[in-house]
Amino acid sequence: MHAFDVLGDPVRRRLLELLSTGELSSGELTTVVREEFGISQPAVSQHLRVLREHGFATVRADGTRRMYSVDADALRPVDDWLDPFRRFWAPRLAALETEIARGKRQRREQE
């Protein structure tokens, strides 16, 4: 399965978003995803298995809990694929950074 096939599913993308903040237990992940998507615990487990098997997530045992985290190496092909497209948003992000800095400077001057 290609990286975009794995990331094409909204449940798996959401699981990775949750894991981007740090390690979470399968129970914590299941609670959020079940509430947001209305799917069963076995369905969440299936999505976690796909993420594990394709290298997007790692799991470790912590007593009886299973702790999941993102494995960023699997995201490299996605990042590589996106690289040629960065030219479309890089100037806009640079302009935004300039405007934010200008606003901060103006606030400091007004104080």
Side-chain angles (χ1 to χ4, degrees), residues 58-100:
T58 59
V59 64
R60 69 175 182 84
D62 181 23
T64 59
R65 298 185 326 161
R66 297 292 172 254
M67 302 300 294
Y68 283 83
S69 59
V70 171
D71 187 344
D73 289 339
L75 294 169
R76 286 195 209 302
V78 175
D79 187 52
D80 292 343
W81 186 85
L82 285 170
D83 197 44
F85 300 98
R86 283 190 173 83
R87 66 182 176 93
F88 294 115
W89 64 75
R92 289 181 175 92
L93 290 174
L96 177 61
E97 184 177 16
T98 299
E99 288 303 314
I100 290 170

Side-chain angles (χ1 to χ4, degrees), residues 12-85:
R12 290 192 288 265
R13 283 195 311 270
R14 182 62 175 133
L15 287 166
L16 286 173
E17 288 171 3
L18 293 167
L19 291 171
S20 72
T21 63
E23 189 178 58
L24 293 170
S25 71
S26 58
E28 292 168 314
L29 293 165
T30 298
T31 298
V32 172
V33 171
R34 285 183 70 187
E35 184 178 306
E36 292 180 6
F37 291 90
I39 63 175
S40 67
Q41 182 275 326
V44 176
S45 293
Q46 186 87 2
H47 285 291
L48 288 169
R49 184 172 59 85
V50 170
L51 292 174
R52 263 192 342 268
E53 288 178 353
H54 291 90
F56 285 86
T58 59
V59 64
R60 69 175 182 84
D62 181 23
T64 59
R65 298 185 326 161
R66 297 292 172 254
M67 302 300 294
Y68 283 83
S69 59
V70 171
D71 187 344
D73 289 339
L75 294 169
R76 286 195 209 302
V78 175
D79 187 52
D80 292 343
W81 186 85
L82 285 170
D83 197 44
F85 300 98

